[in-house]
Amino acid sequence: MNKEPTIQNFLAFEQEHKCNQIIVEGMHVWALYRYEIHNAIKKKYYGTKGGSGNGEAPFTKKELFTMALNALKPFTYKNVDVLFVGNGRRTKNIDTGIYEDIYCDEVAKKYNSVILEHPENHGHMQPNGMDNVYFTDRVAFKTNLAVKLSKKFNTKTRQRRTAQVTEALIPIFEAVKAEFGTDIAADMISEVVDRMYYIDITKKFCGKILDKAKPKLIIEICYYAMESYAMSMLAHERGIPVAEYSHGFAFPTHTPMQYNPEDHLNELPDYELIYSKTQLPIVHLPDNIQMLTVGFPFFEKQRDHYQSLYPKQEKTICFISTLNEGEEISKVAAKVAELIGDEYRVIYKLHPFEFASYKEKYPWTNTDKLEVIANNGEHIFRYLAESAIVVSARTASVWEGIGFGCDTILLNFGDTAINMEYFIKEKHVPLVDTAEQVIELIRSGGAGHVDPDGMFEPDAMRNITSFINQFL
């Protein structure tokens, strides 16, 4: 009988077959693609559909021209103290109109530093209010072009790499089929070869940056992005320490944050900076990576800001939608609003990807008793500041809601029971199935209360700067 591809079974498979030790042309080819491999196994096993199926929209001529101009700009930053590898995502500050990197900007201002920013959604959000951001569009051009040309002309390099990857991984994929009952080899060989091109070319590009920047420390926002992988490999060759600063709360089933202890890979950072001790029993990285709790400066600053503007309302309930469970959550929210909406203010905060379609997908939310938030005109922190209770499924916003002092009710949809197990078992947050159960908990005061100060390590900026200063 085939095994279910849970994270535990996947890790056991990797350990048995020594997957993360497989090297082709100096690259750990399984490790560099393990997130996608695990997703492919789960997709085949569970029969789930992957996204919309349309892929990313093609580049417009204007976007390509802008990227070409960015790619031509030379890298001029020399002898910096800290090099940040950003994730390209910026959030608009409603008060200032500035698009902020909520992880890098405020820390970077305190040091002689540079932030590398790759294009996100075909571009960069501006104005960004910073004078030390370098757009890495050039590597995006080179990698995509190299992969396309290698496929079109079936180059000798591609033939060689394909043969080597096939020899190394086909026995592993046959073992995957035997253990999980999923045949993924046909897709994976070509995609792993593509990943080799991305890493190889990105590493050469990043090497030239390091030649000039000569940082004393590298901080990555997402260690499993291509530029971060390349930077980690180069840093370990050059003796430069690397830290990943968490870009959110991890979940037990999130493959990139789960490894076997012995998987000491040069593509991984030396340090993992996390928000709070709540992550220690959840994140399992190789045992040579030091886990440090530092907090989140942006959250501390924003919490003070929003709590001063929007006092808590004891009869306000905030439902937070998630992409996978939005339909089920919205039905519960609408029913709760219908039953107690005259007595309580019931908010339904949509996921941004639901803004355009929720009226057709969730027609039951069309009721005066439910306040649907379908825009980014106000940050979600406003509604967390105002709310006494947060109701949701698996989402990092639960941590944020608790940090704002909200009591919590979890809905038993999707993989909430697994991924929010820490709160359910350790903090006794109730997990329920129906609107009636939500109402009963609200009326009886039975929503889970967790110490808000435990969600984020306090004095975050001091913690992060103290960490950085030891390398300077």
Side-chain angles (χ1 to χ4, degrees):
M1 185 175 178
N2 297 129
K3 291 183 180 178
E4 185 179 1
T6 62
I7 188 65
Q8 293 83 1
N9 287 338
F10 182 73
L11 290 174
F13 178 89
E14 285 190 320
Q15 193 169 51
E16 178 185 354
H17 296 279
K18 297 181 172 55
C19 296
N20 288 315
Q21 298 176 26
I22 299 171
I23 297 176
V24 175
E25 294 191 5
M27 300 178 226
H28 291 99
V29 288
W30 174 280
L32 291 170
Y33 212 62
R34 67 189 292 270
Y35 187 19
E36 292 83 356
I37 290 170
H38 192 202
N39 284 340
I41 294 170
K42 289 189 289 186
K43 182 179 177 181
K44 290 264 189 177
Y45 183 92
Y46 297 114
T48 52
K49 295 180 180 179
S52 64
N54 296 323
E56 191 176 69
F59 285 92
T60 65
K61 290 182 179 179
K62 183 178 180 181
E63 288 171 341
L64 288 170
F65 180 72
T66 301
M67 286 186 72
L69 291 178
N70 289 335
L72 291 172
K73 294 179 181 178
F75 183 84
T76 58
Y77 301 88
K78 296 182 179 180
N79 301 316
V80 302
D81 290 331
V82 187
L83 186 147
F84 294 87
V85 185
N87 63 0
R89 297 172 188 170
R90 290 185 169 269
T91 302
K92 187 175 184 179
N93 185 309
I94 298 163
D95 298 323
T96 65
I98 297 295
Y99 288 92
E100 301 172 327
D101 182 323
I102 63 176
Y103 309 104
C104 297
D105 285 359
E106 292 305 309
V107 181
K109 289 175 184 177
K110 295 182 177 295
Y111 296 95
N112 171 27
S113 66
V114 59
I115 302 172
L116 303 185
E117 182 176 295
H118 64 78
E120 174 80 2
N121 294 326
H122 298 182
H124 303 270
M125 303 303 292
Q126 295 178 293
N128 62 31
M130 303 292 286
D131 61 3
N132 65 335
V133 178
Y134 180 74
F135 298 155
T136 58
D137 297 47
R138 193 182 313 170
V139 72
F141 270 125
K142 285 188 174 182
T143 51
N144 283 284
L145 182 63
V147 168
K148 288 177 181 176
L149 290 175
S150 74
K151 288 180 175 178
K152 183 176 181 179
F153 297 106
N154 192 24
T155 61
K156 290 184 177 179
T157 299
R158 188 169 191 94
Q159 292 178 40
R160 183 186 73 247
R161 288 179 169 177
T162 300
Q164 291 175 332
V165 170
T166 300
E167 182 180 359
L169 293 187
I170 281 297
I172 307 298
F173 290 139
E174 288 176 351
V176 166
K177 186 176 181 180
E179 185 147 335
F180 301 113
T182 56
D183 188 356
I184 61 171
D187 297 326
M188 288 296 106
I189 295 297
S190 178
E191 292 180 18
V192 169
V193 173
D194 289 350
R195 179 60 54 93
M196 291 180 69
Y197 276 94
Y198 285 121
I199 293 295
D200 187 37
I201 294 170
T202 305
K203 190 178 176 185
K204 291 175 183 175
F205 173 80
C206 291
K208 293 178 180 178
I209 287 177
L210 288 182
D211 287 342
K212 290 186 177 181
K214 295 183 171 61
K216 299 178 178 69
L217 174 68
I218 297 172
I219 295 182
E220 303 165 351
I221 301 305
C222 179
Y223 87 78
Y224 47 97
M226 291 304 99
E227 286 167 32
S228 295
Y229 271 139
M231 281 295 184
S232 292
M233 296 167 76
L234 289 162
H236 290 131
E237 292 171 7
R238 300 177 183 213
I240 304 170
V242 183
E244 184 196 39
Y245 181 49
S246 179
H247 61 287
F249 285 95
F251 296 103
T253 59
H254 186 45
T255 312
M257 305 311 290
Q258 309 296 329
Y259 277 89
N260 288 303
E262 68 275 12
D263 287 329
H264 300 174
L265 299 165
N266 67 337
E267 293 89 353
L268 301 182
D270 303 297
Y271 303 89
E272 179 69 18
L273 309 181
I274 56 176
Y275 294 161
S276 74
K277 293 180 177 65
T278 65
Q279 292 286 275
L280 292 174
I282 295 172
V283 176
H284 300 99
L285 294 173
D287 60 18
N288 65 327
I289 297 176
Q290 293 188 48
M291 299 270 289
L292 303 172
T293 56
V294 296
F296 188 17
F298 175 80
F299 180 82
E300 285 186 6
K301 182 179 177 180
Q302 293 298 302
R303 179 174 58 185
D304 292 344
H305 173 73
Y306 282 97
Q307 284 181 332
S308 67
L309 292 177
Y310 304 101
K312 190 170 294 297
Q313 303 168 8
E314 291 305 319
K315 289 206 167 184
T316 295
I317 308 157
C318 183
F319 284 81
I320 301 172
S321 189
T322 66
L323 269 183
N324 291 329
E325 296 81 31
E327 180 176 344
E328 294 95 332
I329 299 172
S330 64
K331 286 180 178 177
V332 172
K335 191 165 185 180
V336 168
E338 193 61 34
L339 294 173
I340 63 171
D342 293 328
E343 184 182 353
Y344 289 82
R345 178 190 179 197
V346 185
I347 299 169
Y348 188 67
K349 177 66 175 71
L350 290 161
H351 188 283
F353 290 168
E354 296 175 314
F355 291 169
S357 60
Y358 84 95
K359 289 182 179 179
E360 293 75 31
K361 291 175 66 177
Y362 314 148
W364 43 84
T365 59
N366 184 23
T367 168
D368 293 339
K369 294 184 179 181
L370 183 64
E371 185 179 336
V372 180
I373 310 301
N375 60 73
N376 282 324
E378 293 286 355
H379 199 283
I380 189 175
F381 288 171
R382 171 189 171 168
Y383 305 104
L384 297 180
E386 292 178 326
S387 299
I389 298 174
V390 163
V391 186
S392 191
R394 180 195 60 142
T395 171
S397 293
V398 167
W399 270 273
E400 294 170 340
I402 292 171
F404 269 91
C406 300
D407 289 347
T408 308
I409 300 171
L410 292 170
L411 297 173
N412 191 21
F413 301 139
D415 56 12
T416 300
I418 298 172
N419 279 302
M420 306 302 281
E421 184 180 53
Y422 171 81
F423 291 109
I424 298 164
K425 290 190 175 181
E426 299 294 326
K427 299 299 181 182
H428 309 295
V429 173
L431 179 70
V432 302
D433 299 282
T434 67
E436 289 79 6
Q437 290 172 314
V438 171
I439 293 170
E440 182 181 350
L441 289 169
I442 291 170
R443 292 200 181 281
S444 66
H449 181 76
V450 182
D451 177 13
D453 293 331
M455 291 301 99
F456 295 87
E457 191 76 14
D459 298 321
M461 185 60 78
R462 185 194 66 183
N463 298 335
I464 293 173
T465 53
S466 294
F467 169 78
I468 293 173
N469 291 343
Q470 66 181 302
F471 300 100
L472 305 187

